[in-house]
Every structure is written in structure tokens, then in C-alpha cells.
Amino acid sequence: MSSENLPQSPEQQPRKPRVAVVFGGRSSEHGISVVTAGAVLRAIDRTKYDVLPIGITTDGRWALTADEPERMAITDRRTPSVEQLADSTEGGVVLSVDPANREVVYSEPGAVPKALGEVDVVFPMLHGPYGEDGTLQGLLELSGVPYVGSGVLASAVGQDKEYMKRVFISFGLPVGPYTVIRPREWELDPSAARKKIIDFAGEHGWPLFIKPARAGSSIGITKVDHISGLDEAIMEAQRHDPKILVESLLRGREIECGVLEFEDGPRASVPAEIPPVTAHEFYDFEAKYIDSAAGLVPAPLTEEQTAEVRRLAVEAFDAASCEGLVRADFFLTEDGEFVINEINTMPGFTPISMYPRMWQESGVGYSELVDRLIQAALRRSTGLR
């Protein structure tokens, strides 16, 4: 018998790809990121991949955490934190920025650094600034480590709602009326900035939505019905981002559609509809994650409407140069036209979140969805592509 036909020893067997699931982060969406990571950790096929959970605390420390997804759930209407899950209050995880060395190192004050092994792919489950906005993606590009989801440019565009809309307009996608108040405008002349918003309301009508330009999960958004509520809404938005976005109310139905990267390119899921939320002013953070407002999957649309929103979702994916996954959110206006509101390059990803539910209805279950995203990342190289 030739040696090549002999059974391999454990040392000779090929190593399973190692997936670092990175979650938490410095944004106001820290808690929901932890919840999302818990769901992904439960779903990853451990016979196929090795897993390394890494949490980022609210002050930016990369912490080693236990692989215990059962502790990463909403409890008593409160989201968990990395600080609750970290193995140490001082130890830190460091990823090399040398593309020839993908090894992760853990160190604590006064102790010899400990090598944790190489990482083959990162699954970044971060939402909001300092994670979903291209910053983490840039670090991973420098490190030469493939990662799930969009690259630096698409992540940045997908996070900044002003430039997202500018990109969509340049590609001919339908966008609703909006205006932007930049930090310098507010700091130099608050009265002029306030007048800019009031003039916008005079043109497009009340109510307005005042929101952070670079946040997600509906955090920091206020529906303003009258000028008397304007200053409070601006202050609330600026707690999360000094740049604010002002949008007019689009009357119609809220429709969402998922896009997933397959081997032959991006495809759109069946769409979903977010019905009116009677217990909330709009589909805000609590409605999404605490009270679990139910979406209709699939959305009750005509065949023509379904085909149109799926086409627009893929066009938005391509317009922003996205990779991996996107959830595209639309309004179906009273005159029957779809208007794109925004895209999320790392949407809510718990099993009850709309993105996985839409793909479940489209024939791709949660575990398969996670696997497809990891495989798509492993197929891509870092750098220019």
C-alpha cells in the first residue's frame, strides 16, 4: 500500500477554517451587536469551522470572551454587553497588521502574551460607527484577513445616510426628500441651521424625522410633528452623531428586501412588509428588538411589485459596491412607486430579524445563511478587487 493511501494522522489532517466572530463595539448599538453575535455563534457548524469569539467593549478594548451564546440574549428588556462576557477586565486581544501573519495574540498586564492561533476569516457582527462603517474593514484589509460583508467604501457609504442617498441618486434610484445639518452649521449658527429645517418643513410638510446621519437600529430618531419639538429632537440625534439627517414623512407601506451574494452574483430574497406599529410612533429600536414587532413575510404584493422591489434591491447593492449581504428598506408610496430609504450592510441578524426571515422564506435557512456568508468571504481576497 502506498503511503498516500494511508489514513492521515490527526496532525496531518487539514485544519478547519477558523472564524473570529467580532461583536460589541463602541457605538450605541453595542447591545444588539452582542445579541446578534450570540445567534451566529449558535448557528456556525462546529464540525466545519473552529470559532474564536472576540468582544469589543464600549471603550474599544478587544476582549477574549467565552463561547457561551446563551448569555448573549435580551433579558428583562435589557441587552447584554461585552463587559459582562469578557474573561478579564484588563486583558486584550491583538490582531496583527502584518498580512503574512494572521495570528491573534492575547495579553494581560504582567503576563507573557499568549498566541491564540491564526484566523482565516472574520465575521464582524458590529453595528454602527467603529465597526460597520468601514473602520474595522480597513483594519482587516491591512491585516490581510478576509471578512464577511462589504468592504471599506461600501461600508462607509452604507453607514452615512447622506452619502448613501447621494450615491443612489447618481445611479437613478428613487430617493425621498431630505436635508442635512452638519456639525459646523449647528456650531456656528444654530438659528440658521434651525431655519434650514423649518424651510424644509415648509416645502415638504410636517411631520419630520430627525435622525443621526451615521447610526442604525432606529436609535436616536425622533418623529417631530411641530416646530416646538425640533430642538429636543436635534439634541437627541446629536447624542449619537454630530451630523443629523432630516427627512420628510413618506406616506405608504414599509417594504424590506434582503440581498445575498451567491457564487454567480447577488440575488434578492422575497420581500417583507413592516405593518404599522400601533404601540410606537414608528418602527423604532424598542419595536424592532424589545417588543419584536412582527413583519409580514412574504409581503402581500403583486407579482409585478415583488419583481420591482427585488430588482431595486440588487441595484442598490451594486450601486454602493456591496458584498456579502444587504438589507434594503423601501417605502411603497400611495401612488404605487417604490422609494429607497436606506441599506444596511450588516443588518439585524438574529433568527427573528427580518433579513434571516426573508431568506428563510426564500429557501435559505439560518445556518445555511451563516455558512454562505463565511464561504463568500473565504472566496474573496483582501485588497483591491
Side-chain angles (χ1 to χ4, degrees), residues 21-24 32-34 36-37 40 123-127 346-347 349:
V21 178
V22 180
F23 59 94
I32 197 60
S33 170
V34 178
T36 302
V40 169
F123 204 133
M125 300 309 308
L126 295 123
H127 300 299
M346 187 52 70
F349 209 85

Side-chain angles (χ1 to χ4, degrees), residues 61-374:
R61 179 173 61 92
W62 287 45
L64 192 62
T65 68
D67 188 2
E68 298 176 357
E70 65 277 2
R71 296 172 56 198
M72 303 164 71
I74 294 174
T75 305
D76 297 328
R77 302 177 69 86
R78 294 184 178 182
T79 55
S81 70
V82 169
E83 283 80 356
Q84 297 167 345
L85 301 164
D87 287 350
S88 165
T89 58
E90 295 184 315
V93 173
V94 177
L95 179 66
S96 171
V97 292
D98 177 1
N101 177 18
R102 294 180 178 178
E103 191 162 83
V104 174
V105 174
Y106 176 75
S107 62
E108 290 190 82
V112 176
K114 177 183 177 183
L116 300 178
E118 290 192 350
V119 167
D120 297 289
V121 63
V122 169
F123 204 133
M125 300 309 308
L126 295 123
H127 300 299
Y130 312 110
E132 190 183 353
D133 60 349
T135 50
L136 177 63
Q137 290 74 15
L139 172 64
L140 296 173
E141 293 286 351
L142 289 173
S143 301
V145 180
Y147 51 92
V148 169
S150 290
V152 175
L153 173 65
S155 296
V157 168
Q159 188 65 43
D160 190 314
K161 295 177 177 63
E162 176 194 0
Y163 287 96
M164 178 197 307
K165 291 176 185 292
R166 289 180 180 271
V167 167
F168 291 157
I169 290 169
S170 73
F171 276 82
L173 290 163
V175 171
Y178 75 97
T179 191
V180 174
I181 303 296
R182 291 181 170 80
R184 187 170 56 201
E185 291 180 83
W186 186 257
E187 291 165 6
L188 293 179
D189 195 341
S191 296
R194 194 179 293 109
K195 183 179 183 300
K196 181 178 177 180
I197 299 174
I198 294 168
D199 289 346
F200 177 82
E203 182 179 357
H204 300 287
W206 300 89
L208 302 177
F209 286 92
I210 311 295
K211 58 178 66 175
R214 295 163 292 192
S217 296
S218 297
I219 290 174
I221 299 177
T222 305
K223 181 183 178 185
V224 181
D225 296 299
H226 187 268
I227 190 173
S228 60
L230 192 55
D231 281 8
E232 185 179 351
I234 291 170
M235 290 175 61
E236 171 60 20
Q238 288 179 331
R239 287 201 312 115
H240 304 279
D241 187 346
K243 182 167 81 166
I244 65 172
L245 187 79
V246 181
E247 294 177 333
S248 63
L249 173 67
L250 288 177
R251 301 187 185 279
R253 299 159 63 185
E254 292 191 50
I255 306 295
E256 299 183 347
C257 191
V259 181
L260 178 64
E261 181 183 343
F262 285 76
E263 289 82 356
D264 59 352
R267 301 181 199 172
S269 69
V270 300
E273 179 170 4
I274 306 300
V277 185
T278 56
H280 301 264
E281 275 284 298
F282 57 96
Y283 194 44
D284 61 8
F285 178 85
E286 290 219 347
K288 285 182 179 179
Y289 299 113
I290 304 298
D291 294 335
S292 300
L296 304 175
V297 187
L301 301 171
T302 66
E303 288 186 14
E304 293 77 11
Q305 288 172 329
T306 297
E308 175 68 0
V309 75
R310 294 177 75 179
R311 180 186 70 80
L312 289 171
V314 172
E315 283 194 14
F317 183 96
D318 286 336
S321 298
C322 295
E323 295 169 292
L325 74 164
V326 149
R327 193 193 73 231
D329 300 347
F330 297 86
F331 289 103
L332 177 56
T333 63
E334 293 175 340
D335 59 5
E337 299 296 320
F338 283 104
V339 174
I340 187 163
N341 183 38
E342 64 181 40
I343 57 171
N344 282 268
T345 56
M346 187 52 70
F349 209 85
T350 68
I352 64 168
S353 298
M354 296 309 298
Y355 183 86
R357 287 182 59 196
M358 288 187 285
W359 278 108
Q360 178 75 46
E361 188 67 24
S362 305
V364 181
Y366 191 82
S367 294
E368 182 186 349
L369 187 58
V370 169
D371 186 68
R372 281 190 172 277
L373 289 168
I374 294 171

